[in-house]
Amino acid sequence: MDCNKKYRRIVIKIGSNVLTREDGRPDTTRISALVDQIAGLYRAGVEVILVSSGAVASGRSVLEPRVGRIDTVSARQLFSAVGQVKLLNRYYDLFNEYGIVCGQVLTTKESLSTRRQYLNQRNCMEAMLAAGVVPIVNENDTISVTELMFTDNDELSGLVAAMMDAEALVILSNIDGIYDGSPADPASQVIRRVAPGRDLSQYIDTARSSRGRGGMTTKSRISSRVAGEGIEVVIANGRRDGILTDLVLTGRDVVCTRFEAAPRPASGVKKWIASSEGFAKGALHLDAGAAAAISQSKAASILAVGVTAVEGEFERDDIVRILSPEGAPLGVGRISCDSATARRNLGRKGLKPLIHCDYLYLE
Ligand SMILES: Nc1ncnc2c1ncn2[C@@H]1O[C@H](COP(=O)(O)OP(=O)(O)O)[C@@H](O)[C@H]1O
Ligand SMILES: N[C@@H](CCC(=O)OP(=O)(O)O)C(=O)O
């Protein structure tokens, strides 16, 4: 990370692969080493929000030997219910050795999907940070099933970083960064810097790893998006000794993939909208004139007169996708009316904007 910069607030995401040994048991030495380093950052005045995976793996190590045949959804619910307690107890004890209090934040995709719930979540974590408490965030796997789930905790950590206005997001995995070929090929090298907007999808092997959920594909996609919102993102190896201290405090040149932050940080509400594509309830198809207007001016709103079709059912203040006349995604925005009203007003002039420019985020 930028070693000349003192970070005020960062989000650190730790993947299941970092916290779990090859045989599936929790790697207590590693968890302890990471907490030691986070305590060092805390002492140096950096506010840390931890997004920790590992509940399912932790519960599986306790329960797998004793449960019989069970479907995958129930297994995830059961393992996470037990594993989350075990994981948080361990964090609590380890932080306590440094006199640091940590607290649990369990969330769901649904809990971030409306602006009001989003602000409630943010307020909770702001209150924790103000009281010197380290928030430890995870998805509530006991109730998040199938389509209600985040892609994985990489997606969640990106949302948390934007929501909490963090300056940097550190994603710790079991690998040094994103390689420019198969990580198994000795000729492959870690891509060290990624300029805003650069697409790395060609390098990623889409096969997922055994314990994680979204794999490197989501890490890369989320990192680009978060960096585009003005937040530096680093993917690094959580199993390397001293990784967090090196990245955040000493600035030692450690192998990692760093996504440079785009210079244009979005406003708070725009950050929420930008990260909300996954919650979109519908879509607006623009005509050529409207598409040109919003691409040319930041002050242009989307008016009913420039919309040719409305897709899906939505309520006022929901997030909708904006599509070009050819159907290409242009961005997302918060709609000012429900879908029935939007359809009724299609093509009409002189009405208030369907999406005001302050609530419009273009890719
Ligand atoms: N180009 C690539 N560079 C690095 N890792 C890759 C690449 N393509 C696929 N991967 C895989 O992605 C894995 C990391 O993702 P994941 O399993 O989701 O980790 P975590 O549990 O830490 O979130 C690596 O272990 C690696 O096998
Ligand atoms: N919420 C799950 C983590 C799911 C997940 O995204 O895992 P990973 O890809 O290892 O970060 C758990 O605590 O087990």
Side-chain angles (χ1 to χ4, degrees):
M1 288 159 75
D2 182 348
C3 55
N4 296 318
K5 190 172 169 192
K6 165 97 164 54
Y7 291 93
R8 184 186 47 83
R9 180 177 288 182
I10 63 172
V11 173
I12 298 172
K13 185 262 170 171
I14 310 183
S16 313
N17 287 327
V18 179
L19 301 172
T20 318
R21 294 180 201 276
E22 295 303 322
D23 64 6
R25 284 182 305 123
D27 188 340
T28 40
T29 317
R30 184 57 54 206
I31 302 177
S32 170
L34 288 166
V35 171
D36 291 347
Q37 295 172 66
I38 294 170
L41 308 190
Y42 183 98
R43 293 260 163 80
V46 184
E47 287 180 334
V48 175
I49 299 158
L50 194 57
V51 176
S52 180
S53 302
V56 174
S58 183
R60 179 180 289 126
S61 70
V62 179
L63 291 167
E64 204 158 48
R66 55 171 101 165
V67 289
R69 285 182 66 82
I70 181 168
D71 68 87
T72 46
V73 171
S74 305
R76 213 177 122 258
Q77 290 177 308
L78 174 65
F79 294 162
S80 65
V82 172
Q84 180 66 17
V85 182
K86 200 175 160 211
L87 190 65
L88 258 285
N89 271 336
R90 180 151 289 134
Y91 276 122
Y92 195 91
D93 290 343
L94 291 168
F95 276 113
N96 196 35
E97 285 177 25
Y98 289 94
I100 299 172
V101 180
C102 64
Q104 170 178 271
V105 178
L106 288 180
T107 190
T108 61
K109 196 165 188 169
E110 194 92 278
S111 319
L112 297 177
S113 67
T114 71
R115 179 87 181 139
R116 207 181 60 181
Q117 286 174 306
Y118 175 91
L119 293 176
N120 285 342
Q121 285 267 294
R122 189 172 75 181
N123 189 55
C124 166
M125 280 194 259
E126 287 289 357
M128 292 171 88
L129 291 170
V133 173
V134 176
I136 304 183
V137 187
N138 197 359
E139 180 168 13
N140 187 347
D141 298 300
T142 63
I143 53 166
S144 302
V145 283
T146 54
E147 72 282 357
L148 299 175
M149 283 158 68
F150 291 106
T151 312
D152 61 15
N153 272 353
D154 298 318
E155 182 184 19
L156 173 58
S157 68
L159 289 166
V160 169
M163 173 167 83
M164 299 307 291
D165 209 11
E167 285 147 312
L169 165 64
V170 179
I171 298 181
L172 295 181
S173 186
N174 61 344
I175 198 149
D176 283 339
I178 304 184
Y179 283 80
D180 58 6
S182 164
D185 179 350
S188 302
Q189 297 210 321
V190 172
I191 300 167
R192 301 293 295 264
R193 291 193 92 85
V194 183
R198 182 176 164 200
D199 177 18
L200 300 184
S201 52
Q202 66 181 108
Y203 301 117
I204 315 257
D205 175 356
T206 46
R208 293 167 187 193
S209 60
S210 53
R211 279 190 284 269
R213 222 152 75 189
M216 205 43 93
T217 313
T218 348
K219 278 191 223 326
S220 168
R221 187 171 50 78
I222 296 298
S223 301
S224 300
R225 176 179 294 177
V226 173
E229 293 167 34
I231 300 168
E232 187 182 354
V233 184
V234 172
I235 300 178
N237 195 334
R239 292 183 175 177
R240 257 183 195 268
D241 290 340
I243 185 72
L244 289 172
T245 313
D246 285 344
L247 283 172
V248 185
L249 291 184
T250 67
R252 253 185 62 197
D253 184 31
V254 50
V255 183
C256 63
T257 299
R258 181 191 314 274
F259 290 75
E260 292 164 25
R264 183 181 48 89
S267 73
V269 77
K270 285 214 179 195
K271 275 187 183 164
W272 169 65
I273 291 168
S275 44
S276 301
E277 194 200 337
F279 312 135
K281 300 265 168 45
L284 302 183
H285 289 257
L286 304 193
D287 67 15
I294 58 165
S295 73
Q296 280 157 18
S297 165
K298 283 199 178 111
S301 298
I302 295 182
L303 306 173
V305 65
V307 176
T308 54
V310 173
E311 260 180 45
E313 301 304 319
F314 46 80
E315 299 296 323
R316 181 185 158 179
D317 291 342
D318 278 345
I319 299 294
V320 294
R321 287 177 294 118
I322 321 292
L323 304 174
S324 73
E326 297 76 32
L330 298 176
V332 280
R334 185 165 90 169
I335 190 93
S336 66
C337 62
D338 60 31
S339 45
T341 312
R343 280 197 183 90
R344 211 168 39 245
N345 290 340
L346 273 188
R348 283 179 57 193
K349 287 188 182 164
L351 301 172
K352 94 174 204 216
L354 286 179
I355 298 177
H356 189 273
C357 58
D358 287 346
Y359 301 107
L360 180 61
Y361 185 88
L362 300 176
E363 286 170 1

